[in-house]
PDB file of all heavy atoms in Angstrom:
ATOM      1  N   PHE A1180      11.884  -2.183  -1.073  1.00 97.00           N
ATOM      2  CA  PHE A1180      11.743  -3.451  -0.361  1.00 97.00           C
ATOM      3  C   PHE A1180      11.099  -4.489  -1.274  1.00 97.00           C
ATOM      4  O   PHE A1180      11.599  -5.615  -1.411  1.00 97.00           O
ATOM      5  CB  PHE A1180      10.901  -3.258   0.901  1.00 97.00           C
ATOM      6  CG  PHE A1180      10.920  -4.430   1.834  1.00 97.00           C
ATOM      7  CD1 PHE A1180      11.686  -4.407   2.980  1.00 97.00           C
ATOM      8  CD2 PHE A1180      10.159  -5.573   1.583  1.00 97.00           C
ATOM      9  CE1 PHE A1180      11.710  -5.486   3.855  1.00 97.00           C
ATOM     10  CE2 PHE A1180      10.170  -6.651   2.435  1.00 97.00           C
ATOM     11  CZ  PHE A1180      10.952  -6.611   3.586  1.00 97.00           C
ATOM     12  N   VAL A1184      12.291  -8.205  -2.996  1.00 95.00           N
ATOM     13  CA  VAL A1184      11.565  -9.487  -3.001  1.00 95.00           C
ATOM     14  C   VAL A1184      11.533 -10.028  -4.430  1.00 95.00           C
ATOM     15  O   VAL A1184      11.830 -11.208  -4.661  1.00 95.00           O
ATOM     16  CB  VAL A1184      10.134  -9.324  -2.439  1.00 95.00           C
ATOM     17  CG1 VAL A1184       9.350 -10.621  -2.570  1.00 95.00           C
ATOM     18  CG2 VAL A1184      10.177  -8.882  -0.981  1.00 95.00           C
ATOM     19  N   THR A1194       6.947 -20.240  -4.521  1.00 82.00           N
ATOM     20  CA  THR A1194       7.002 -18.828  -4.919  1.00 82.00           C
ATOM     21  C   THR A1194       7.594 -18.000  -3.780  1.00 82.00           C
ATOM     22  O   THR A1194       7.579 -16.788  -3.825  1.00 82.00           O
ATOM     23  CB  THR A1194       5.595 -18.297  -5.253  1.00 82.00           C
ATOM     24  OG1 THR A1194       4.746 -18.480  -4.122  1.00 82.00           O
ATOM     25  CG2 THR A1194       5.009 -19.009  -6.452  1.00 82.00           C
ATOM     26  N   TRP A1195       8.113 -18.656  -2.763  1.00 86.00           N
ATOM     27  CA  TRP A1195       8.636 -17.976  -1.576  1.00 86.00           C
ATOM     28  C   TRP A1195      10.102 -17.636  -1.728  1.00 86.00           C
ATOM     29  O   TRP A1195      10.863 -18.342  -2.358  1.00 86.00           O
ATOM     30  CB  TRP A1195       8.513 -18.858  -0.340  1.00 86.00           C
ATOM     31  CG  TRP A1195       7.173 -19.423  -0.085  1.00 86.00           C
ATOM     32  CD1 TRP A1195       5.958 -18.865  -0.383  1.00 86.00           C
ATOM     33  CD2 TRP A1195       6.885 -20.675   0.529  1.00 86.00           C
ATOM     34  NE1 TRP A1195       4.948 -19.680   0.011  1.00 86.00           N
ATOM     35  CE2 TRP A1195       5.481 -20.802   0.583  1.00 86.00           C
ATOM     36  CE3 TRP A1195       7.671 -21.687   1.038  1.00 86.00           C
ATOM     37  CZ2 TRP A1195       4.856 -21.914   1.130  1.00 86.00           C
ATOM     38  CZ3 TRP A1195       7.039 -22.787   1.585  1.00 86.00           C
ATOM     39  CH2 TRP A1195       5.654 -22.884   1.636  1.00 86.00           C
ATOM     40  N   ARG A1196      10.476 -16.563  -1.063  1.00 92.00           N
ATOM     41  CA  ARG A1196      11.890 -16.219  -0.889  1.00 92.00           C
ATOM     42  C   ARG A1196      12.159 -16.244   0.605  1.00 92.00           C
ATOM     43  O   ARG A1196      11.340 -15.771   1.393  1.00 92.00           O
ATOM     44  CB  ARG A1196      12.196 -14.809  -1.397  1.00 92.00           C
ATOM     45  CG  ARG A1196      12.186 -14.680  -2.902  1.00 92.00           C
ATOM     46  CD  ARG A1196      10.867 -14.151  -3.286  1.00 92.00           C
ATOM     47  NE  ARG A1196      10.824 -13.814  -4.711  1.00 92.00           N
ATOM     48  CZ  ARG A1196       9.698 -13.810  -5.373  1.00 92.00           C
ATOM     49  NH1 ARG A1196       8.559 -14.123  -4.792  1.00 92.00           N
ATOM     50  NH2 ARG A1196       9.686 -13.478  -6.638  1.00 92.00           N
ATOM     51  N   ARG A1198      13.585 -15.007   4.021  1.00 93.00           N
ATOM     52  CA  ARG A1198      13.741 -13.620   4.469  1.00 93.00           C
ATOM     53  C   ARG A1198      15.193 -13.179   4.514  1.00 93.00           C
ATOM     54  O   ARG A1198      15.506 -12.048   4.186  1.00 93.00           O
ATOM     55  CB  ARG A1198      13.047 -13.391   5.798  1.00 93.00           C
ATOM     56  CG  ARG A1198      13.858 -13.778   6.988  1.00 93.00           C
ATOM     57  CD  ARG A1198      13.412 -12.929   8.179  1.00 93.00           C
ATOM     58  NE  ARG A1198      14.217 -13.280   9.303  1.00 93.00           N
ATOM     59  CZ  ARG A1198      15.302 -12.609   9.664  1.00 93.00           C
ATOM     60  NH1 ARG A1198      15.699 -11.549   9.029  1.00 93.00           N
ATOM     61  NH2 ARG A1198      16.001 -13.006  10.692  1.00 93.00           N
ATOM     62  N   VAL A1201      16.165 -12.204   1.034  1.00 95.00           N
ATOM     63  CA  VAL A1201      15.583 -10.903   0.674  1.00 95.00           C
ATOM     64  C   VAL A1201      16.335  -9.788   1.397  1.00 95.00           C
ATOM     65  O   VAL A1201      16.650  -8.755   0.809  1.00 95.00           O
ATOM     66  CB  VAL A1201      14.076 -10.856   1.013  1.00 95.00           C
ATOM     67  CG1 VAL A1201      13.511  -9.453   0.777  1.00 95.00           C
ATOM     68  CG2 VAL A1201      13.308 -11.886   0.202  1.00 95.00           C
ATOM     69  N   PHE A1217      14.311  -4.811   9.482  1.00 95.00           N
ATOM     70  CA  PHE A1217      13.848  -5.547   8.309  1.00 95.00           C
ATOM     71  C   PHE A1217      12.481  -6.181   8.580  1.00 95.00           C
ATOM     72  O   PHE A1217      11.554  -6.067   7.781  1.00 95.00           O
ATOM     73  CB  PHE A1217      14.861  -6.625   7.913  1.00 95.00           C
ATOM     74  CG  PHE A1217      14.417  -7.442   6.739  1.00 95.00           C
ATOM     75  CD1 PHE A1217      14.648  -7.005   5.448  1.00 95.00           C
ATOM     76  CD2 PHE A1217      13.747  -8.637   6.927  1.00 95.00           C
ATOM     77  CE1 PHE A1217      14.212  -7.752   4.356  1.00 95.00           C
ATOM     78  CE2 PHE A1217      13.306  -9.390   5.851  1.00 95.00           C
ATOM     79  CZ  PHE A1217      13.550  -8.949   4.559  1.00 95.00           C
ATOM     80  N   ALA A1221       8.769  -5.459   6.944  1.00 95.00           N
ATOM     81  CA  ALA A1221       8.005  -6.571   6.369  1.00 95.00           C
ATOM     82  C   ALA A1221       6.602  -6.621   6.978  1.00 95.00           C
ATOM     83  O   ALA A1221       5.613  -6.792   6.258  1.00 95.00           O
ATOM     84  CB  ALA A1221       8.742  -7.891   6.582  1.00 95.00           C
ATOM     85  N   LEU A1230       2.650  -7.438   0.832  1.00 92.00           N
ATOM     86  CA  LEU A1230       3.609  -8.522   1.012  1.00 92.00           C
ATOM     87  C   LEU A1230       2.907  -9.717   1.626  1.00 92.00           C
ATOM     88  O   LEU A1230       2.101  -9.562   2.538  1.00 92.00           O
ATOM     89  CB  LEU A1230       4.751  -8.047   1.928  1.00 92.00           C
ATOM     90  CG  LEU A1230       5.921  -8.992   2.136  1.00 92.00           C
ATOM     91  CD1 LEU A1230       6.700  -9.168   0.825  1.00 92.00           C
ATOM     92  CD2 LEU A1230       6.849  -8.469   3.217  1.00 92.00           C
ATOM     93  N   GLY A1231       3.197 -10.886   1.117  1.00 88.00           N
ATOM     94  CA  GLY A1231       2.649 -12.113   1.683  1.00 88.00           C
ATOM     95  C   GLY A1231       3.733 -12.904   2.378  1.00 88.00           C
ATOM     96  O   GLY A1231       4.915 -12.586   2.288  1.00 88.00           O
ATOM     97  N   GLY A1232       3.317 -13.934   3.078  1.00 86.00           N
ATOM     98  CA  GLY A1232       4.269 -14.780   3.777  1.00 86.00           C
ATOM     99  C   GLY A1232       4.238 -14.558   5.267  1.00 86.00           C
ATOM    100  O   GLY A1232       3.212 -14.182   5.833  1.00 86.00           O
ATOM    101  N   CYS A1233       5.381 -14.754   5.889  1.00 83.00           N
ATOM    102  CA  CYS A1233       5.488 -14.679   7.336  1.00 83.00           C
ATOM    103  C   CYS A1233       6.375 -13.501   7.738  1.00 83.00           C
ATOM    104  O   CYS A1233       7.596 -13.633   7.757  1.00 83.00           O
ATOM    105  CB  CYS A1233       6.065 -15.977   7.867  1.00 83.00           C
ATOM    106  SG  CYS A1233       6.300 -15.955   9.641  1.00 83.00           S
ATOM    107  N   PRO A1234       5.778 -12.356   8.067  1.00 81.00           N
ATOM    108  CA  PRO A1234       6.587 -11.191   8.405  1.00 81.00           C
ATOM    109  C   PRO A1234       7.148 -11.199   9.823  1.00 81.00           C
ATOM    110  O   PRO A1234       7.937 -10.335  10.178  1.00 81.00           O
ATOM    111  CB  PRO A1234       5.622 -10.026   8.219  1.00 81.00           C
ATOM    112  CG  PRO A1234       4.297 -10.602   8.556  1.00 81.00           C
ATOM    113  CD  PRO A1234       4.352 -12.038   8.058  1.00 81.00           C
ATOM    114  N   GLY A1239       9.986 -17.450   7.928  1.00 77.00           N
ATOM    115  CA  GLY A1239      11.002 -16.809   7.115  1.00 77.00           C
ATOM    116  C   GLY A1239      10.692 -16.720   5.638  1.00 77.00           C
ATOM    117  O   GLY A1239      11.546 -16.342   4.862  1.00 77.00           O
ATOM    118  N   ASP A1240       9.465 -17.049   5.224  1.00 87.00           N
ATOM    119  CA  ASP A1240       9.141 -16.983   3.801  1.00 87.00           C
ATOM    120  C   ASP A1240       8.407 -15.689   3.467  1.00 87.00           C
ATOM    121  O   ASP A1240       7.551 -15.237   4.208  1.00 87.00           O
ATOM    122  CB  ASP A1240       8.303 -18.185   3.381  1.00 87.00           C
ATOM    123  CG  ASP A1240       6.987 -18.280   4.141  1.00 87.00           C
ATOM    124  OD1 ASP A1240       7.038 -18.349   5.373  1.00 87.00           O
ATOM    125  OD2 ASP A1240       5.925 -18.270   3.501  1.00 87.00           O
ATOM    126  N   LEU A1241       8.786 -15.080   2.349  1.00 91.00           N
ATOM    127  CA  LEU A1241       8.162 -13.843   1.884  1.00 91.00           C
ATOM    128  C   LEU A1241       7.840 -13.997   0.401  1.00 91.00           C
ATOM    129  O   LEU A1241       8.566 -14.672  -0.335  1.00 91.00           O
ATOM    130  CB  LEU A1241       9.096 -12.654   2.073  1.00 91.00           C
ATOM    131  CG  LEU A1241       9.523 -12.333   3.502  1.00 91.00           C
ATOM    132  CD1 LEU A1241      10.584 -11.241   3.504  1.00 91.00           C
ATOM    133  CD2 LEU A1241       8.334 -11.928   4.343  1.00 91.00           C
ATOM    134  N   HIS A1242       6.761 -13.378  -0.030  1.00 89.00           N
ATOM    135  CA  HIS A1242       6.392 -13.388  -1.446  1.00 89.00           C
ATOM    136  C   HIS A1242       5.451 -12.225  -1.722  1.00 89.00           C
ATOM    137  O   HIS A1242       4.936 -11.604  -0.798  1.00 89.00           O
ATOM    138  CB  HIS A1242       5.746 -14.718  -1.841  1.00 89.00           C
ATOM    139  CG  HIS A1242       4.497 -15.017  -1.088  1.00 89.00           C
ATOM    140  ND1 HIS A1242       4.496 -15.626   0.140  1.00 89.00           N
ATOM    141  CD2 HIS A1242       3.204 -14.776  -1.375  1.00 89.00           C
ATOM    142  CE1 HIS A1242       3.246 -15.745   0.570  1.00 89.00           C
ATOM    143  NE2 HIS A1242       2.442 -15.229  -0.325  1.00 89.00           N
ATOM    144  N   LEU A1243       5.231 -11.969  -2.982  1.00 90.00           N
ATOM    145  CA  LEU A1243       4.281 -10.938  -3.381  1.00 90.00           C
ATOM    146  C   LEU A1243       2.882 -11.542  -3.351  1.00 90.00           C
ATOM    147  O   LEU A1243       2.706 -12.711  -3.682  1.00 90.00           O
ATOM    148  CB  LEU A1243       4.627 -10.423  -4.770  1.00 90.00           C
ATOM    149  CG  LEU A1243       6.034  -9.823  -4.886  1.00 90.00           C
ATOM    150  CD1 LEU A1243       6.358  -9.503  -6.331  1.00 90.00           C
ATOM    151  CD2 LEU A1243       6.174  -8.604  -4.005  1.00 90.00           C
TER     152      LEU A1243
END
Side-chain angles (χ1 to χ4, degrees):
F1180 191 103
V1184 175
T1194 57
W1195 308 328
R1196 288 98 172 154
R1198 84 153 182 96
V1201 174
F1217 178 85
L1230 186 67
C1233 178
D1240 60 302
L1241 299 173
H1242 61 275
L1243 301 173

